[in-house]
Amino acid sequence: MNEKILNLLNGNARISSSEIAARLEKSQQEIESAISKMEDDGIIRGYKVILNEDATNDSSVRALIEVRVTPERDGGFNNVAKRICRFPEVTDVYLVSGDYDLRVEVKGESLQDVAAFVHSKLATINGVISTATMFLLKKYKEAGKIMDGEDSYERLKIVP
Amino acid sequence: MNDSKLYRKKRLATHISELPKSGIREFFDIVNNVEDVISLGVGEPDFVTPWQICEAAIYSIEKGHTGYTSNLGLYSLRKEICKYLESDYGCSYRPDNECIVTVGVSEAFDLAIRAITNPGDEIIYFEPCYVSYNAEIRMAFGVPVALETHEENEFSIDVEAVRSKITPKTKAIILNFPCNPTGGTLNSRQMQELAALAVENNLIVLTDEIYSELTYEGRLPSIASLPGMKERCIFLHGFSKAFAMTGFRIGFACGPEDIIGTMMKIHQYSMMCASTVAQEAAEEALKNGRREMEKMREEYMQRRNLMVKGLNEAGLKCLKPKGAFYAFPSIKNTGLTSNDFAKKFLEQHKVAVIPGTAFGPCGEGYVRCCYAASVENIQEALRRMALFVESLR
Ligand SMILES: Cc1ncc(COP(=O)(O)O)c(C=O)c1O
């Protein structure tokens, strides 16, 4: 049941517990306590809105940064990654396979803001070998949602 | 004026002129004159076709695959279809002469009926049912013999009742389970008894399995896989409902070589072949579209739960259908006829449902509500349904 609840929340985090209950043929009470439990257990870490920033007056700047790191004998990449995570301007951090090690996403007020963060904070962390910064120019799709609304077309209202 | 009427009557084929307009069609015209309707009146998925299937269609055009295919359809698609029927339905057919690709199940059904019906042959089918069955049989000069299915039996069949309708003229039995509009299904005992009855009376069984993928509590092997069925069963299925491909117009039939060969003759002279683009898209659907299809099925099942709960709470008794994407609640306790119920509900609350009588006279007392609609619309429709039913008390 948890898996089905998570699938539904993944599709729409604002889905009501009564709708989940009706879909899965459970009581609302059961659903609410299952969700609370997953929150308490740290399975659900939070709920986030998927925004089309172009349609708001949000002028913040986002960048993806490829970070190469020297792994430590104990802990590998974990310590560096954890340090990077602490900065509030960092929104996402992943260890990845490929040419670099950590993929860091940051959000700042301006280009200068992000640039300053990278050279004065990120690049100077012990263990960071190099960084490559890519500013995000336009968002087409996030978390499964396409930003530009597709043209709706009129389906037949009555079909045998 | 009278003269021109007479003239018109003469120039049209009598057996077609005599066919009634589809009950759904009539309702369609009414609905189209009302703005902002929430429609539970559709019979097709509200999902867009999964993208990789659309992409295969686009790619097919890009490659210039825009000519005819062989009359039976692309061999690679037929091979894929036969593999699918073997693994998922327990039926084995040869792609070279026991499988034909058609323009939807609609064409497959038409071919099958025309291939087996001699004038006067009786064909048994179950009502309430898909709107075309009766007309298709009559267009082929057959005699439609309708058997009723009832809510008390979960809209399933009574094999003894079938037996009582068999005459020396009976040629075939049409099955459509899961059923449009009732969502009824068959259990394995019913399938076995029916198969035995068909063997005993040497009848053809035409099974329209278009909703078979949308079975929510585990699917049984098809009746076509039972002993003695291979040589008398025509298996019809398509991509419209399972893969949300209604507009592609693609389906197929599998069956004994002589019947498929005869169907092929009609198809060859009247259709040539199904759309090449659609055939390539269908092949992709079978090869790589299953996961998307399963996701849609899970979503339909959850919407079914919502719909059935909501209808019962609104005061309309509704069984939980095991398949397809229709709820078929009883409206008997409102005192209205199906037609009046649907018309009033539409006029007063702008929600379209289909009167049960569109699917045969025994659909009186029921309406069909399709839950292949967005949850938002389903919930709003249910809210209005509760108000409407309350106002009738
Ligand atoms: C029972 C049944 N058979 C056949 C069809 C026709 O489907 P297709 O799109 O494959 O022609 C439908 C469509 O509503 C249906 O409900």
Side-chain angles (χ1 to χ4, degrees):
Chain A
M1 174 170 89
N2 278 357
E3 194 190 332
K4 291 196 172 178
I5 295 177
L6 289 176
N7 274 338
L8 289 170
L9 288 172
N10 244 331
N12 173 14
R14 293 197 64 200
I15 187 173
S16 67
S17 49
S18 64
E19 182 183 331
I20 301 180
R23 279 169 172 266
L24 305 183
E25 303 188 288
K26 303 281 179 202
S27 71
Q28 194 171 335
Q29 177 73 44
E30 280 174 282
I31 299 299
E32 277 164 10
S33 59
I35 293 176
S36 305
K37 180 146 195 324
M38 287 192 281
E39 288 171 349
D40 294 344
D41 292 349
I43 295 171
I44 296 176
R45 292 289 168 145
Y47 304 88
K48 175 177 179 298
V49 61
I50 303 166
L51 266 184
N52 178 6
E53 284 89 354
D54 288 355
T56 67
N57 38 27
D58 179 351
S59 60
S60 60
V61 173
R62 293 174 168 275
L64 285 179
I65 307 166
E66 302 175 352
V67 184
R68 290 177 56 214
V69 177
T70 315
E72 295 167 333
R73 191 178 176 99
D74 298 316
F77 297 99
N78 289 350
N79 288 331
V80 176
K82 278 182 190 159
R83 282 192 68 177
I84 294 175
C85 285
R86 292 240 157 73
F87 291 102
E89 42 277 79
V90 171
T91 57
D92 300 80
V93 178
Y94 293 92
L95 178 65
V96 295
S97 60
D99 289 344
Y100 60 98
D101 306 302
L102 296 175
R103 175 190 172 282
V104 175
E105 186 169 336
V106 299
K107 179 179 172 186
E109 301 274 302
S110 65
L111 217 102
Q112 288 78 1
D113 222 30
V114 173
F117 169 77
V118 174
H119 66 242
S120 68
K121 295 186 176 145
L122 191 59
T124 56
I125 293 175
N126 224 342
V128 169
I129 306 167
S130 71
T131 64
T133 303
M134 285 149 287
F135 286 97
L136 304 187
L137 303 180
K138 180 170 168 60
K139 176 158 78 187
Y140 291 97
K141 186 176 183 182
E142 182 186 343
K145 300 280 186 254
I146 295 174
M147 293 296 131
D148 278 341
E150 316 241 324
D151 301 343
S152 65
Y153 86 103
E154 179 81 353
R155 293 225 175 194
L156 292 177
K157 294 203 179 74
I158 298 285
V159 184
Chain B
M1 148 105 182
N2 263 345
D3 271 0
S4 84
K5 247 191 185 163
L6 247 164
Y7 171 63
R8 202 169 297 153
K9 194 165 174 206
K10 253 191 269 170
R11 72 175 176 181
L12 298 178
T14 321
H15 73 296
I16 304 293
S17 309
E18 283 169 355
L19 287 177
K21 244 172 66 168
S22 152
I24 283 198
R25 203 66 227 176
E26 267 169 50
F27 209 65
F28 183 85
D29 297 335
I30 306 175
V31 171
N32 265 356
N33 289 327
V34 185
E35 299 234 321
D36 299 324
V37 173
I38 293 183
S39 182
L40 304 181
V42 297
E44 65 175 342
D46 67 322
F47 293 107
V48 175
T49 312
W51 180 248
Q52 79 266 32
I53 297 173
C54 296
E55 178 110 83
I58 295 166
Y59 191 46
S60 150
I61 295 175
E62 279 178 353
K63 284 185 296 191
H65 293 182
T66 53
Y68 295 126
T69 69
S70 92
N71 293 131
L72 284 176
L74 287 170
Y75 188 71
S76 53
L77 171 58
R78 281 181 279 142
K79 232 168 51 183
E80 218 41 63
I81 289 169
C82 292
K83 226 165 77 186
Y84 165 61
L85 293 198
E86 178 99 52
S87 64
D88 288 43
Y89 294 82
C91 306
S92 72
Y93 292 102
R94 279 196 311 268
D96 39 315
N97 54 10
E98 295 177 333
C99 174
I100 182 170
V101 178
T102 57
V103 180
V105 170
S106 302
E107 195 218 349
F109 190 85
D110 181 57
L111 297 179
I113 292 289
R114 285 203 274 165
I116 63 171
T117 309
N118 282 310
D121 282 352
E122 294 176 2
I123 298 186
I124 295 176
Y125 67 103
F126 301 90
E127 283 183 342
C129 71
Y130 182 49
V131 294
S132 304
Y133 293 169
N134 178 291
E136 280 282 357
I137 297 167
R138 289 164 64 178
M139 286 194 284
F141 302 99
V143 179
V145 178
L147 266 168
E148 298 183 353
T149 61
H150 296 283
E151 191 184 353
E152 298 79 59
N153 287 330
E154 300 186 58
F155 296 106
S156 198
I157 64 170
D158 173 359
V159 179
E160 285 318 303
V162 182
R163 189 187 298 281
S164 73
K165 290 280 181 180
I166 294 177
T167 75
K169 287 192 176 155
T170 306
K171 188 63 164 286
I173 303 178
I174 299 169
L175 301 176
N176 170 227
F177 298 97
C179 172
N180 174 11
T182 63
T185 53
L186 297 184
N187 62 33
S188 57
R189 184 183 50 77
Q190 288 165 323
M191 281 194 219
Q192 277 158 11
E193 288 177 9
L194 202 63
L197 188 70
V199 172
E200 194 183 311
N201 293 280
N202 195 22
L203 303 177
I204 294 168
V205 174
L206 226 157
T207 179
D208 177 348
E209 307 249 351
I210 191 161
Y211 293 103
S212 55
E213 284 292 5
L214 305 178
T215 306
Y216 303 117
E217 272 121 53
R219 189 177 70 218
L220 298 167
S222 166
I223 189 168
S225 70
L226 298 181
M229 283 290 104
K230 172 86 200 269
E231 71 260 29
R232 64 181 66 256
C233 195
I234 315 176
F235 185 107
L236 310 178
H237 189 8
F239 298 84
S240 287
K241 317 287 170 166
F243 294 96
M245 289 174 71
T246 44
F248 279 85
R249 310 305 307 124
I250 188 91
F252 58 87
C254 288
E257 187 183 346
D258 59 332
I259 295 181
I260 295 297
T262 308
M263 290 169 65
M264 150 80 172
K265 238 192 242 171
I266 308 170
H267 178 72
Q268 175 181 57
Y269 291 132
S270 60
M271 195 65 70
M272 296 279 287
C273 67
S275 148
T276 307
V277 173
Q279 291 189 53
E280 296 205 349
E283 192 175 329
E284 173 67 20
L286 287 181
K287 282 183 171 154
N288 301 308
R290 306 281 194 92
R291 185 146 5 129
E292 285 298 314
M293 185 260 287
E294 279 154 21
K295 269 199 236 163
M296 291 190 274
R297 168 168 58 209
E298 172 70 25
E299 180 64 22
Y300 291 136
M301 181 172 87
Q302 295 184 7
R303 291 181 192 175
R304 171 198 66 171
N305 298 343
L306 254 162
M307 176 73 99
V308 170
K309 180 165 182 271
L311 288 170
N312 281 301
E313 282 171 2
L316 299 182
K317 182 166 171 252
C318 180
L319 295 176
K320 194 162 79 179
K322 296 198 179 81
F325 40 49
Y326 309 104
F328 202 60
S330 164
I331 52 140
K332 288 176 184 162
N333 64 359
T334 64
L336 295 179
T337 63
S338 300
N339 227 334
D340 285 348
F341 183 95
K343 271 189 192 145
K344 288 211 166 93
F345 191 31
L346 180 63
E347 279 162 18
Q348 294 174 16
H349 294 275
K350 296 191 170 192
V351 178
V353 298
I354 310 264
T357 41
F359 308 98
C362 67
E364 183 56 85
Y366 299 88
V367 293
R368 188 189 78 176
C369 307
C370 175
Y371 49 84
S374 73
V375 166
E376 214 181 354
N377 281 348
I378 292 175
Q379 284 176 330
E380 180 57 22
L382 287 170
R383 193 184 67 79
R384 296 184 199 176
M385 182 73 89
L387 289 177
F388 180 58
V389 173
E390 183 62 35
S391 75
L392 296 171
R393 280 190 210 285

